[in-house]
Amino acid sequence: MKLNRFFLSLLLLTLSFINGVCGEVFSVKITPHHKDWVYKLGEKVEFLVTITEENPSSRNFSIQYEIGPEKMPAVVNVFQKAKSGILRIDGGTLNSPGFLRCKVTVSSGDEIRTEIATAAFAPELIEPTASLPADFDEFWSELKSSQKDLPLDLKLTPIEAKSNDKVTYYHVDYQNFEFKNRSYGILSIPKGDGRYPAVIRFPGAGIRPLGGNSVVADKEVITLDLYIHPFPANMDNEFYDQLANTALPNYMFFGTHDKYSYYYRRVISGCLRAVDVIHSLPQFDGENLAAWGSSQGGALSIITTALDKRIKMLVALCPAMCDFTGYLNGRAGGWPHFFNQENRSMYQNKQVISVLSYYDVVNFARQITVPGFYSWGFNDETTPPTSFYSAFNVIKAPKRVHIIPEGKHKIYPEQVDKTYAWILEKLRKK
């Protein structure tokens, strides 16, 4: 019996090896033919599809490609057969500023690979579709005024498990803009007798809180990682999993019927009060404060910096919430995509459009007056580049830009490195 099991195991191992050697494994890569992926209006783009086999063969691959403005229905849809190597696709052009995307699906048997590439056409000329409410400044000034006489009631609870000989970590609990409405976060303060610059980090979309930024904290910088939901930031993971699956799965859509009820009003209030938290700390140097975030956090970084001039610099990576109404004008709009084909029937009405104009990052970007570091990728399907160029292009303050053309909706190591280098350099110069 043992011998039979031995031979069976040997047979399975041999078959596994044969499948690994002779298996039909292949990869697909697609790029526009310009190295920087950028084109002039009316210029033709050629998409290069490279199919690479792990073990070269003469088989034919089934190929489908779709071409059209990003996040819009395809205007070209082609099926064909091809062998491995380079396939050249005529992508056409755009005659107005925007992004043209080619999506390629390659299959052979049960194996399927899908990749995209997105060519930019005069992106620096993209103009926003978002409208600016006549009382936009008044609306946000009213919120800020309501906070002035409300005690911060700051509570700091040391987190011994995270603290070390350089930094003390705290769970932060403070009063938001109305009675019994609290905000939370994780604060790190360098140990020592000095006074330090500070960074507020705003979170990406989701329920799970951040845990503190040890890289920046170790460089003698105070950091405050915000948790935007009305629950403590020091609970077990199961607690946040429950929130994500029950109470808050679609929080970004809550309250769009009224500008005073939209979920992000409370969120933004908590972000503004976070600036008060930093300024209340005796260890803060009183001047050098940066905002930092990606996706939803990138949006909140721009929004908070626009509303509170005590912030002296900002980082916004692939910011969300930009130019919501792009979809209503035949092009991609910002996350969370209120007016795309899936959501349009629920939200396309005058009231919702009006409410969202008070929260559109475009209208805050116009008020940015401090240096910023911005970074994104053209292949981002969550926060489309058309949408955040709408906001980026109206910013008149100094801008440092790092573009990863093939970048999708995630943070890449090079973005992290460049962000750290830029923000630490700026803080040291102050």
Side-chain angles (χ1 to χ4, degrees):
M1 180 67 70
K2 290 183 179 179
L3 190 60
N4 288 341
R5 287 179 180 174
F6 170 77
F7 281 114
L8 178 60
S9 299
L10 183 61
L11 176 61
L12 292 174
L13 183 63
T14 302
L15 289 174
S16 175
F17 174 76
I18 292 172
N19 287 336
V21 173
C22 301
E24 297 180 347
V25 177
F26 65 93
S27 62
V28 176
K29 181 180 180 181
I30 176 173
T31 61
H33 75 295
H34 280 191
K35 186 176 181 180
D36 62 0
W37 297 34
V38 178
Y39 294 79
K40 298 176 182 178
L41 296 180
E43 184 180 5
K44 292 277 190 177
V45 57
E46 187 177 55
F47 291 102
L48 308 178
V49 179
T50 304
I51 304 172
T52 304
E53 294 184 87
E54 191 172 289
N55 297 289
S57 71
S58 59
R59 60 178 161 156
N60 282 318
F61 292 88
S62 296
I63 298 172
Q64 177 190 9
Y65 62 85
E66 304 172 3
I67 301 173
E70 61 160 349
K71 307 297 286 186
M72 294 286 104
V75 295
V76 174
N77 197 328
V78 174
F79 292 85
Q80 68 178 74
K81 297 284 187 178
K83 298 187 184 299
S84 60
I86 297 178
L87 173 67
R88 298 179 181 273
I89 297 175
D90 180 359
T93 189
L94 291 181
N95 293 311
S96 58
F99 286 82
L100 188 64
R101 178 164 291 160
C102 180
K103 177 182 178 181
V104 175
T105 300
V106 181
S107 61
S108 177
D110 294 333
E111 292 182 84
I112 301 175
R113 307 282 186 273
T114 298
E115 295 292 342
I116 63 172
T118 313
F121 286 82
E124 72 282 357
L125 300 180
I126 293 174
E127 296 182 356
T129 65
S131 61
L132 178 67
D135 64 340
F136 181 84
D137 292 336
E138 179 184 343
F139 175 73
W140 290 109
S141 294
E142 177 187 347
L143 174 63
K144 290 191 289 183
S145 296
S146 71
Q147 298 177 336
K148 288 183 178 179
D149 299 325
L150 193 67
L152 189 59
D153 190 25
L154 177 63
K155 299 176 182 178
L156 302 179
T157 305
I159 306 174
E160 301 295 343
K162 290 186 68 68
S163 300
N164 54 50
D165 59 347
K166 292 184 178 181
V167 179
T168 302
Y169 285 84
Y170 300 89
H171 179 259
V172 176
D173 177 350
Y174 59 93
Q175 180 68 49
N176 203 322
F177 71 98
E178 55 190 13
F179 183 60
K180 291 186 178 180
N181 190 330
R182 310 289 294 183
S183 289
Y184 305 90
I186 303 296
L187 175 71
S188 69
I189 301 178
K191 291 182 177 179
D193 299 326
R195 286 163 61 82
Y196 306 99
V199 174
I200 300 175
R201 286 207 310 171
F202 303 93
I207 310 300
R208 196 174 306 280
L210 298 173
N213 188 331
S214 60
V215 175
V216 175
D218 287 347
K219 299 293 191 299
E220 296 191 330
V221 176
I222 296 168
T223 69
L224 174 56
D225 281 11
L226 290 188
Y227 184 58
I228 65 168
H229 305 296
F231 301 95
N234 59 353
M235 308 294 282
D236 293 334
N237 288 340
E238 290 77 12
F239 174 80
Y240 304 107
D241 291 339
Q242 278 293 102
L243 283 178
N245 294 324
T246 55
L248 298 175
N250 295 303
Y251 67 86
M252 64 288 296
F253 295 100
F254 292 176
T256 53
H257 63 285
D258 188 305
K259 64 184 179 183
Y260 290 97
S261 300
Y262 186 38
Y263 193 86
Y264 279 99
R265 182 170 182 264
R266 184 203 157 276
V267 170
I268 293 169
S269 174
C271 292
L272 292 170
R273 298 233 79 186
V275 181
D276 294 334
V277 170
I278 294 296
H279 274 265
S280 75
L281 301 174
Q283 299 91 339
F284 177 51
D285 69 13
E287 178 65 21
N288 299 303
L289 176 59
W292 184 344
S294 64
S295 193
Q296 172 189 265
L300 295 174
S301 180
I302 294 173
I303 290 170
T304 311
T305 301
L307 292 176
D308 197 319
K309 300 308 178 184
R310 291 177 293 176
I311 297 175
K312 304 304 181 184
M313 65 199 76
L314 78 136
V315 171
L317 311 180
C318 52
M321 301 172 66
C322 300
D323 208 43
F324 294 125
T325 50
Y327 288 108
L328 303 180
N329 292 269
R331 70 186 206 197
W335 179 93
H337 311 290
F338 289 99
F339 306 117
N340 66 4
Q341 288 181 316
E342 180 182 355
N343 296 321
R344 183 174 296 190
S345 62
M346 294 180 285
Y347 298 103
Q348 188 179 354
N349 60 72
K350 290 183 178 179
Q351 182 64 22
V352 171
I353 293 171
S354 173
V355 168
L356 292 178
S357 66
Y358 291 89
Y359 296 88
D360 199 306
V361 168
V362 166
N363 291 329
F364 296 95
R366 301 179 194 277
Q367 302 185 23
I368 294 296
T369 59
V370 300
F373 180 94
Y374 306 88
S375 184
W376 55 80
F378 290 169
N379 281 344
D380 193 328
E381 297 184 273
T382 302
T383 56
T386 297
S387 69
F388 52 68
Y389 266 103
S390 300
F392 177 79
N393 287 343
V394 302
I395 297 174
K396 304 304 180 185
K399 297 181 281 191
R400 177 75 64 86
V401 179
H402 177 63
I403 297 173
I404 304 174
E406 70 276 12
K408 298 182 180 181
H409 192 70
K410 62 180 182 178
I411 304 304
Y412 294 83
E414 63 186 275
Q415 286 176 307
V416 174
D417 292 344
K418 289 181 181 295
T419 296
Y420 284 147
W422 182 85
I423 207 164
L424 290 172
E425 177 190 9
K426 286 288 182 184
L427 289 174
R428 291 190 188 104
K429 283 183 177 180
K430 291 287 184 177

